[in-house]
Structures are given as structure tokens and as C-alpha cells.
Amino acid sequence: MREASVNLVTVGVFSWARLEPEPGRYEFGWLDRVLDLLADNGIFADLATATASPPPWLARRNPDSLPVDREGVRLWPGARQHYCPSNKSYRAAATALVEQLATRYCDHRALAMWHVNNEYGCHVAACYCDRSAEHFRAWLRSRYASLAALNEAWGTAFWSQQYGDWDEIVPPRPAPTWRNPSQELDWHRFCSDVLLELFVMERELLERLSSGVPITTNFMRFFKPCDYWKWAEHVDFTADDLYPDPSDAATGARERASAADLMRSLKGGAPWAVMEQAPNAVNWRQRNVPKHPGLMRLGSYQSLARGADGIMFFQWRASKAGAEKFHSGMVPHTGTATRTWREVVELGTELARLDAVVGTRVSADVAFVFDWESRWALELPSKPSHDVTLMDQVAHWYRPLWERNVMVDFVHPEGDLSSYRLVIVPNLYLVTDAAAANVARFVSGGGVFVLSFFSGIVDEREHVRLGGYPAPFRELLGIVVPELWPHGDDELRHVRLGGERYACELWSDWIELEGAEAVATFEDGWLSGRPAVTRNGSAWYVGTRLDSAGMDELVGKLLAQSGVAPTLAAPAGVEAVRRDGDGRSFLFLLNHGAQEATVDIDGDYRDLLTDGERASQLTIEPFGVAVLEAMLRVR
Ligand code: GAL
């Protein structure tokens, strides 16, 4: 670890059975030795609370602690995460373990932070057992107070679903056909809240017994089951697990970039940490393609560039047994005479040169509005088109900005938009009154706003907002959409935008102008001649999914109107991101291409990785990176 300049190690994530081989009998000797050894070598510990995989004895003593899936199948021990989040014996046993760990290690020299549980919800995001049903009812009582309010919110007049007693309510278990969507939406909220309740349960213990030590857990990018806007309020900093597929490096790079932007945004721009990434291949895809030389380094720098202050890996040593034995480790099965090890050591050596970057921040002029509740609602069944999914739309809008080196943040629909010039809202199907007012305030302040199709359709109860889609934005946009025209299988239509013809897919809206102008019009079929993209001052509406070239054209117009400039006019495939702070400025250049790239830069700068002084031009090797510090004037 010293050779690789490792200075922080996650310890004990899946060690519950080792730490407590039988109920109430703890064995800490081995962990004492590990932590002492780390401390003696100047390495800190991200000490796990080990509650993510209960020991087999818990299930044997308390079979009810096992989770039950939607079909009613109990999930048994033998893998991991086999606990029902609402189960009282799981909670009691986890509490006892965390108390022991916190009491024993709160003052340990190695302790730098607490790693609570692990990837909440990764395998079991919802439990449908009777105890969970009871817990769901309690959650609903506190949300609605009365059955009458719940019946109203869930629209139970439809299909004779009216509840006369709280005990009649169950989780959305299998049913003859579509479940009540408001019930499903509340179930999503409940499941995210219940997992968060577990995190808070541990957090409160740690705060009491080990005060002052930062506490976090590892998030999973845009993981659907957990509303990380809510979760982020309870972690001291965000940490992410990143496993883009190396077999599609271009998509992987964009995914990695957007995940970083989310992690930063969840905590108002504060630095975050990569808690896990693979040194090389993973084991859990159908085909596990390795990371080619340079790719792990490039990805690591990408996260750093976009606001991370730490880069960690899963895992230190590739294991010889167990389900993850073909997952790469920093120390591979072959040992240290390997490319993986060499790349790990090189990265560690380089990172040691970048202390000045720590704590600096990234700023963005463009915000993406992103909301878990809206995503849950959008992706429930029984919709005009099942092909509309939020992450597809986010990725579709993200690409043209990423390729132009325009930095973006993510913002909650009710979050502060005042510092942005351009706000992009892909598919905000569910919108609260507060969110609609938030957007209106932004637009009246002169901001450029763009909304994509099938937005503003329902309120937080999943009730349609009447009066013409997208009702809460109708006036702002100067349009009404009386009809939705989703496409059939693979059906392409066309639009004319800026004198060019572009294909569009997935969805079209029948748009009527009420003050807005048509920026693009449909070219074929029944919608021919009707508006496809509209503009009402600085409020834009996009009633279809344009192809990539169309998106490039449209995004160009939006950037021009909002006056947003890229970080740097770099050649295609070169990502440029700036981090600033304390009067210092760092420019990260990342070459995602397989060819050398030459970047023009004005001014003098110091290359932190090579220590070279450079001016005006820099050549970056294929998949290479540069971190430049200067008071740059960029051409
Ligand atoms: C994560 C998990 C790790 C390991 C890794 C493999 O989901 O936290 O324990 O399983 O994936 O890629």
C-alpha cells in the first residue's frame, strides 16, 4: 500500500460474521491488528459498520429478518444484503454491532471516517413482507393523517379501491393488472425513506459515540430506488461507486462525467469521493471487458476534474474464493508484476502531487433539473409510451453539453436556480406547485429555460394537472399540447430546424401556439407543419426527441441565447474542466481519443504531473491527461 501511495482504506464492509461469530460474542482482535498496521504505516481507515451482510445466525434465529420480493419469494442467506429494512431484529442486531465498533474504535489513530452499511438498496431495494406492510401503513398514516386524505390522494374512487381501514392497505404486491399508480409512487417514496431510516439509525449512534468523525455511505450514481436529494442531507460528504462499462468507453466517459456532476451537486458543489471503482475488469456483467491501458487513470482524473477529492478502488486484493474472485483488485491474482499494479502505483504517485487541488470547486452556468419522484412516476406502467425513461432523456441532453465542454450541475426542481444562465429540464413528468413557481421565477429573472416533452403532466399525487399540457408551464411557454403523439415501434419522423432537416423519434406532441414562435416544425405525417420546438422569449419547449445532430443544433441555439461559453475550445474528444479555489485555478485536460490531441492555451502554466512549464500549446497522448495550474487566459 505504501508503494502505491495508498492513504485511505475501506475496512470491514462485509465482516459482520467475523466480528460477531455468534450473537453477542465479538472478535475484534483481527481488526485491531489491521487498524494498527494501517496507522503504523500512515494510512487511514474508512471504517465500515459492517451491517450490509448479516451473519447466517441472524436468519436462523429470526427468519423474519429475511427480505421478501414482490412475488412473495423469501431471499435466503448465502449472498449478501439479505435483510428486511423494517425488521426489528435486524435493526437491533445492527445497532448492537455499531455500538461495539464505535465504542471500540472512536479514538483509533487510523480512523478517518465511518462507512455506513454499503450501497443501500443495491440488491434489495424493497421488501414486501408483512412487517414491511405494517411499516408502510405507519408511513402512510404520518403522510396523510386520515384515510379520507389517502383515498383522495390515491384516487381510490377508480376501480372500487376505496380503503375503509388502514389494515386493508398492503404494499404493491402482484395484482391482476396495473396497480394504483399513486400507491406505487408512495411505495417508492417509502422504500427510499426506509433505507434512509436505517442509515440515520446508524448515523445517530456514530454521532453520539464517535463524535466529530465524518460519516458517509456509498451512493450509486443515479440509482433509481434512492432519492439521493433526501439522502445527501444526512451524509457529511457524498461518495460514489463508479463502474462504467469499459466495452463502451465513450458512453462510459459521459456516464462517469454526469455521475460526478450529480455527486457534486447533491451537496451544493462540495468535493466528493470516488468510493469504489474497478482497477480493471468487474465480474458481474455478461461479458467483463478489461479496462485498456490508461483507461483507469483517465477515469480517475475525470472524477477529480469534476470535483472529487479522493479516488478509491474496489478492491485491494483480488480474492481467491467467493462470488467476486474474478473482479479485479489493485493487487491481481498474479501479484505485483502486472500492468494493473503498475498503473495503480503510477496513479498513486501522481495523485500525491495534486494536494493543491483538494478543496477546490467546479462551477457551472447550466443546470439540469433532476428529480427522483418524477422519475418514479414517469416510469410507472400504463403511460402513453413505455419507452420514455428519464435516464435516457438525461443522457440525450447531457451529451451535447459534455462534448462542448460546457459544465453542468444537477438541481432539485425546487432548488436554487439563481446562479445559472440556462436551465434544462428533461421530462419533468411530475411537478409540484413549488417547482413550477421556482422555474417561473428563474425565467422572469431572465434565465433561459428549456423543457422537454411529457413534462408538467401530474402533481405529487400522480393526478393529472388539468387544463392542457403542460398545465403549470403553459403560460410561461406560450403553448398548449392538447394531444400526445408517441411514435410506434422504431418510427422516425422529421423536423425542420434552422433550415436543416433532422430525424426525431420516440415521441411527438401536437403543439398549439399561444404566443410562442415555432423554432422547428414537423415535416411528415399528421403533424406536418405543426410546431415541434417552440420559444417564448427565453422559455423553450421541445416536443420530440431530436436525433443527435438536431440536439447539437438546438443546444447551440440555447447556449447562444444564454451566453454560456465552454470551459475551453478543445479538439473533439478532449474534455476540459476547471477547478478553482483559494486564488488558484486548475485546468484538467482529458483526451478520450485514441489519437494524440493538441490543445491551444494562452498564457503560462505549470503542468502538475510533469512539473514542466509550458505555453500556448500542449499535446496530450491518447487517453492521456494533463493537470495545469496557472492564471490562465484561455484562447
Ligand atoms: C459494489 C459493491 C462492492 C463490490 C463491487 C463489485 O457494488 O459495493 O462490494 O461488490 O460492487 O463491482
Side-chain angles (χ1 to χ4, degrees):
M1 285 179 184
R2 280 199 316 256
E3 190 183 335
S5 309
V6 169
N7 57 6
L8 181 66
V9 177
T10 302
V11 186
V13 178
F14 296 105
S15 297
W16 189 347
R18 268 278 165 106
L19 291 168
E20 193 182 0
E22 41 182 283
R25 184 171 69 76
Y26 296 95
E27 282 185 3
F28 288 118
W30 67 270
L31 186 54
D32 293 349
R33 283 193 297 283
V34 169
L35 293 179
D36 290 349
L37 186 64
L38 290 173
D40 290 346
N41 286 277
I43 299 170
F44 289 100
D46 163 36
L47 187 53
T49 61
T51 53
S53 190
W57 54 253
L58 185 74
R60 182 154 176 245
R61 290 190 148 206
N62 305 96
D64 288 351
S65 68
L66 294 170
V68 172
D69 74 7
R70 194 165 178 134
E71 274 65 48
V73 176
R74 194 165 285 278
L75 306 177
W76 293 89
R80 61 176 175 183
Q81 229 179 66
H82 44 278
Y83 59 84
C84 158
S86 299
N87 182 264
K88 289 181 180 152
S89 42
Y90 166 75
R91 288 183 175 214
T95 300
L97 175 68
V98 178
E99 267 171 0
Q100 290 284 329
L101 282 163
T103 309
R104 189 172 186 94
Y105 296 113
C106 59
D107 293 323
H108 197 283
R109 295 170 292 147
L111 181 67
M113 58 192 191
W114 288 103
H115 180 107
V116 177
N117 198 284
N118 194 65
E119 290 192 342
Y120 278 98
C122 166
H123 307 299
V124 181
C127 173
Y128 293 79
C129 75
D130 290 341
R131 165 63 198 139
S132 298
E134 200 184 304
H135 199 178
F136 183 41
R137 289 190 284 270
W139 184 93
L140 290 168
R141 272 177 189 259
S142 69
R143 184 173 173 90
Y144 293 109
S146 74
L147 263 186
L150 176 136
N151 278 315
E152 209 302 298
W154 284 14
T156 54
F158 188 74
W159 281 357
S160 175
Q161 291 172 355
Q162 181 168 309
Y163 294 102
D165 188 313
W166 289 99
D167 286 342
E168 292 163 6
I169 301 171
V170 288
R173 290 172 176 155
T177 183
W178 307 297
R179 304 288 330 204
N180 180 309
S182 307
Q183 175 195 15
E184 292 255 29
L185 178 58
D186 272 341
W187 176 250
H188 275 291
R189 292 184 175 115
F190 163 76
C191 291
S192 173
D193 282 1
V194 168
L195 290 173
L196 180 55
E197 216 175 271
L198 288 183
F199 175 83
V200 170
M201 173 187 90
E202 292 197 26
R203 187 190 162 99
E204 283 172 355
L205 283 173
L206 295 170
E207 275 179 325
R208 182 159 56 77
L209 300 169
S210 173
S211 87
V213 178
I215 301 168
T216 196
T217 187
N218 39 354
F219 290 170
M220 290 165 282
R221 310 189 301 116
F222 294 86
F223 184 59
K224 183 175 170 182
C226 292
D227 180 349
Y228 287 150
W229 289 121
K230 271 192 168 182
W231 280 70
E233 291 170 20
H234 299 275
V235 296
D236 290 325
F237 62 94
T238 50
D240 204 17
D241 291 355
L242 286 161
Y243 293 98
D245 190 346
S247 74
D248 181 0
T251 306
R254 285 201 299 275
E255 284 177 1
R256 194 163 179 140
S258 60
D261 297 343
L262 177 70
M263 287 304 129
R264 209 181 53 240
S265 304
L266 287 171
K267 277 302 229 189
W272 57 283
V274 175
M275 187 64 87
E276 291 184 17
Q277 64 171 350
N280 198 333
V282 301
N283 64 301
W284 42 262
R285 292 195 172 94
Q286 188 63 20
R287 295 178 202 87
N288 297 295
V289 171
K291 292 186 175 177
H292 65 65
L295 191 59
M296 179 277 284
R297 176 176 182 251
L298 183 61
S300 303
Y301 276 97
Q302 205 188 6
S303 298
L304 283 181
R306 303 182 95 89
D309 269 3
I311 302 291
M312 297 172 78
F313 292 90
F314 175 84
Q315 57 192 325
W316 169 244
R317 193 184 292 279
S319 54
K320 67 176 181 183
E324 292 188 322
K325 58 184 172 298
F326 292 110
H327 193 293
S328 57
M330 296 158 82
V331 183
H333 289 151
T334 308
T336 52
T338 48
R339 168 178 79 87
T340 302
W341 174 251
R342 278 195 300 278
E343 290 190 19
V344 160
V345 170
E346 278 161 22
L347 180 72
T349 310
E350 283 183 354
L351 293 186
R353 306 174 74 103
L354 299 181
D355 285 356
V357 173
V358 170
T360 57
R361 292 192 173 218
V362 178
S363 59
D365 290 327
V366 180
F368 268 58
V369 167
F370 184 87
D371 183 33
W372 268 267
E373 299 205 4
S374 181
R375 178 182 185 188
W376 294 332
L378 172 73
E379 295 173 12
L380 288 172
S382 190
K383 289 285 180 352
S385 170
H386 286 188
D387 297 330
V388 182
T389 56
L390 186 58
M391 288 317 296
D392 171 60
Q393 298 307 312
V394 168
H396 195 61
W397 278 91
Y398 189 84
R399 182 204 52 82
L401 292 144
W402 182 74
E403 283 181 356
R404 284 168 196 246
N405 286 314
V406 171
M407 199 62 189
V408 312
D409 285 342
F410 288 89
V411 183
H412 184 272
E414 294 174 23
D416 183 3
L417 300 173
S418 60
S419 64
Y420 301 102
R421 288 160 173 264
L422 171 61
V423 169
I424 295 176
V425 187
N427 282 104
L428 191 65
Y429 166 73
L430 177 157
V431 66
T432 62
D433 291 346
N438 193 35
V439 165
R441 236 183 346 264
F442 172 74
V443 176
S444 67
V448 178
F449 158 71
V450 59
L451 185 73
S452 82
F453 61 87
F454 208 40
S455 293
I457 305 293
V458 298
D459 66 13
E460 60 273 34
R461 299 165 305 170
E462 250 275 273
H463 291 199
V464 170
R465 290 180 169 278
L466 302 176
Y469 313 126
F473 301 113
R474 180 173 169 177
E475 214 181 298
L476 191 72
L477 297 166
I479 58 159
V480 64
V481 178
E483 285 187 48
L484 311 172
W485 280 56
H487 296 204
D489 286 355
D490 300 325
E491 186 192 351
L492 279 188
R493 295 177 193 161
H494 296 86
V495 301
R496 184 149 300 269
L497 167 69
E500 295 289 326
R501 182 177 151 94
Y502 300 99
C504 62
E505 58 182 357
L506 191 69
W507 186 282
S508 298
D509 278 327
W510 180 303
I511 300 175
E512 283 171 16
L513 300 177
E514 292 181 331
E517 56 176 305
V519 177
T521 44
F522 289 109
E523 291 249 293
D524 36 19
W526 292 97
L527 295 179
S528 193
R530 299 208 146 270
V533 178
T534 65
R535 186 169 85 94
N536 190 28
S538 65
W540 297 61
Y541 183 76
V542 184
T544 187
R545 187 185 196 275
L546 295 171
D547 66 8
S548 298
M551 285 302 282
D552 287 335
E553 174 70 21
L554 177 65
V555 164
K557 289 182 186 302
L558 293 166
L559 293 174
Q561 196 192 10
S562 54
V564 173
T567 305
L568 184 77
V574 175
E575 181 175 347
V577 185
R578 202 181 289 284
R579 286 184 69 163
D580 301 300
D582 279 342
R584 300 174 82 165
S585 178
F586 303 91
L587 178 65
F588 286 73
L589 297 172
L590 311 147
N591 182 7
H592 293 278
Q595 314 296 328
E596 261 185 14
T598 303
V599 185
D600 292 331
I601 301 163
D602 262 355
D604 296 327
Y605 56 84
R606 194 164 68 90
D607 187 328
L608 293 186
L609 301 181
T610 62
D611 230 3
E613 302 272 336
R614 315 230 188 179
S616 71
Q617 249 191 9
L618 175 74
T619 301
I620 312 175
E621 79 264 20
F623 310 108
V625 306
V627 184
L628 311 176
E629 181 182 4
M631 298 303 119
L632 292 173
R633 280 172 296 114
V634 173
R635 242 206 307 268

